[in-house]
Amino acid sequence: MYKQFVRPLLFRFHPEAAHQFTMLGLKMLRRIPLFSSLVRLLYRYDTPSLGRELFGLNFPSPVGLAAGLDKNAEFFNELSDFGFSFVEVGSLTPKPQDGNPRPRLFRLPKDKAIINRMGINNKGIDYAIRNIQQDPPRCILVANIAKNTTSLTDEEAISDYEHAFTRMYDFVDLFTLNVSCPNVEGLQSLQDISFLSDIVDPILAHRMAYDTYKPILVKISPDLPFEQVDEILDYCMLSGVDGIVAGNTTRRREGLQTPQHRLEQIGHGGLSGAPLYEKTLALVRHIHNHTKGRLPIVGVGGIMTPGQALELLHAGASLLEIYTGFIYNGPRFVRTINKYLEKHWEK
Ligand SMILES: Cc1cc2nc3c(=O)[nH]c(=O)nc-3n(C[C@H](O)[C@H](O)[C@H](O)COP(=O)(O)O)c2cc1C
């Protein structure tokens, strides 16, 4: 039904318009009594065998929603009704920002992929906090935080992450530090170990002041050379970072079916979806081997089939996240994965 009717209809619209249209629909539908219960009944699939305890939290299943779809923490409960056991909201920055000029979101249907250069458009952490207060989460909530694009000096960047972290501490269950978005000038250079430690060390120090422990994950790019990944991993293990989100979108374009002239027309941006999967798999395997399984991994990038979800878990991921696969496969996708994992996943 989704692939035959809904997706062709949505794909007639420009991707950003289709996204806004779908979210508006969700906003209206959630006012209908029992709508949420009905969606949960149709799409969620929770069985005890899928649950896993990690970071002191009980995840009903390993599959969550990746950052970028619910940028302002407006729909996390509705999205969790579609089966996600956790939802990563954001990226959120201290101040609201518009992101890059449009058009900035493109579908590559031949490749089951998306290119985006949204540029971390979001309404800021205060807006997100108000939303979370008004609609208390029914799922595990992750805040993905980043610096504002206008924060150009190291001091400003460090202060942005600290500010976002401390402001959001009481409202979410765990944090992802986004240092790998390819669409914000200078953000990826924060993965250099000296910058990374300048950002993460103060955050880890702040955490010690709180009574409750909130896990902190670092989201890295799939384009990093493995030597640099290893430096990051060694630092994370030593410093007390709780896990790695592997990874973000890629700048690479090899092996795509989409014609070259179309890619040139689209221009720069991060590629997500099917073509990213092999990179994600290699990255997850590498992290798992290098850390000997001591640093939990959230595997994200190009999961388009239940078999790939299983393969990533076997490669060492503890949890998984999906974005583009949800757009291409539709609302039943998480349920299909969970049912498959129930049959085939040996923990
Ligand atoms: C339109 C779009 C916006 C995104 N925005 C963010 C973001 O704000 N922060 C972030 O860390 N990742 C963002 N991502 C990256 C996703 O979280 C994910 O890492 C990536 O898309 C790979 O997963 P996928 O192939 O399942 O989509 C975005 C992805 C897309 C497609």
Side-chain angles (χ1 to χ4, degrees):
M1 161 98 166
Y2 176 80
K3 284 185 191 162
Q4 275 159 334
F5 300 110
V6 182
R7 191 176 74 185
L9 185 70
L10 285 174
F11 276 26
R12 278 169 179 248
F13 294 91
H14 191 274
E16 207 165 335
H19 173 78
Q20 278 162 356
F21 178 66
T22 313
M23 293 299 139
L24 191 74
L26 264 186
K27 216 175 214 171
M28 281 157 57
L29 287 169
R30 72 178 167 192
R31 298 210 186 112
I32 301 174
L34 298 183
F35 173 73
S36 171
S37 314
L38 184 67
V39 175
R40 286 179 87 81
L41 196 72
L42 284 174
Y43 295 113
R44 274 200 82 93
Y45 189 74
D46 297 320
T47 64
S49 65
L50 289 174
R52 75 178 327 172
E53 210 220 295
L54 194 69
F55 313 124
L57 296 164
N58 287 313
F59 291 82
S61 93
V63 186
L65 178 66
L69 190 60
D70 189 11
K71 284 190 179 281
N72 297 305
E74 289 168 302
F75 306 102
F76 48 85
N77 280 329
E78 286 72 25
L79 289 163
S80 81
D81 290 341
F82 290 100
F84 296 107
S85 85
F86 59 104
V87 173
E88 187 163 329
V89 297
S91 293
L92 288 158
T93 53
K95 285 187 285 228
Q97 60 181 31
D98 291 336
N100 291 322
R102 298 178 197 210
R104 53 192 180 177
L105 185 59
F106 309 87
R107 293 184 203 102
L108 275 53
K110 283 200 173 97
D111 290 298
K112 292 207 168 83
I114 291 174
I115 289 179
N116 92 82
R117 52 168 175 272
M118 303 298 287
I120 312 197
N121 56 312
N122 77 105
K123 295 182 182 170
I125 46 180
D126 289 335
Y127 179 82
I129 288 172
R130 275 198 299 280
N131 289 336
I132 298 167
Q133 283 175 317
Q134 278 166 18
D135 191 14
R138 300 193 301 263
C139 59
I140 293 173
L141 199 62
V142 187
N144 178 311
I145 57 174
K147 75 173 186 79
N148 276 109
T149 309
T150 49
S151 300
L152 297 175
T153 65
D154 295 351
E155 290 70 30
E156 285 170 330
I158 296 165
S159 143
D160 274 7
Y161 282 93
E162 277 184 285
H163 182 77
F165 180 74
T166 49
R167 264 301 273 135
M168 294 218 73
Y169 201 84
D170 291 328
F171 302 99
V172 295
D173 300 298
L174 59 157
F175 285 91
T176 298
L177 310 182
N178 180 7
V179 286
S180 49
C181 176
N183 308 310
V184 172
E185 201 51 44
L187 199 96
Q188 287 198 322
S189 62
L190 300 178
Q191 291 170 117
D192 292 349
I193 204 69
S194 59
F195 288 136
L196 187 67
S197 56
D198 282 350
I199 285 165
V200 179
D201 287 347
I203 284 179
L204 292 169
H206 277 298
R207 179 169 66 177
M208 294 208 288
Y210 291 94
D211 292 336
T212 48
Y213 184 89
K214 305 271 161 101
I216 298 166
L217 315 179
V218 173
K219 183 165 181 176
I220 61 171
S221 162
D223 297 336
L224 291 178
F226 281 164
E227 303 84 66
Q228 195 180 344
V229 172
D230 293 348
E231 275 183 9
I232 295 175
L233 297 174
D234 295 343
Y235 161 73
C236 287
M237 282 192 290
L238 270 176
S239 62
V241 168
D242 299 86
I244 297 285
V245 181
N248 217 313
T249 52
T250 176
R251 283 183 163 155
R252 310 300 289 263
R253 298 287 189 265
E254 300 95 2
L256 298 182
Q257 304 297 312
T258 306
Q260 190 57 31
H261 69 86
R262 174 65 184 141
L263 294 174
E264 279 163 20
Q265 211 179 36
I266 290 172
H268 70 94
L271 174 79
S272 61
L276 192 53
Y277 177 72
E278 288 303 324
K279 257 177 171 297
T280 309
L281 180 62
L283 183 61
V284 167
R285 279 208 176 112
H286 180 84
I287 297 173
H288 185 69
N289 289 338
H290 185 83
T291 61
K292 302 193 170 54
R294 278 179 293 155
L295 203 56
I297 307 164
V298 181
V300 49
I303 302 171
M304 306 302 278
T305 67
Q308 290 173 334
L310 181 67
E311 190 174 34
L312 277 184
L313 290 169
H314 284 159
S318 300
L319 297 171
L320 306 171
E321 285 183 343
I322 292 169
Y323 185 146
T324 309
F326 187 57
I327 307 296
Y328 277 90
N329 291 308
R332 276 188 102 77
F333 188 42
V334 183
R335 183 185 171 93
T336 311
I337 293 180
N338 280 339
K339 282 191 143 184
Y340 184 86
L341 293 180
E342 188 197 21
K343 258 197 195 154
H344 302 282
W345 185 30
E346 284 158 28
K347 279 193 249 180

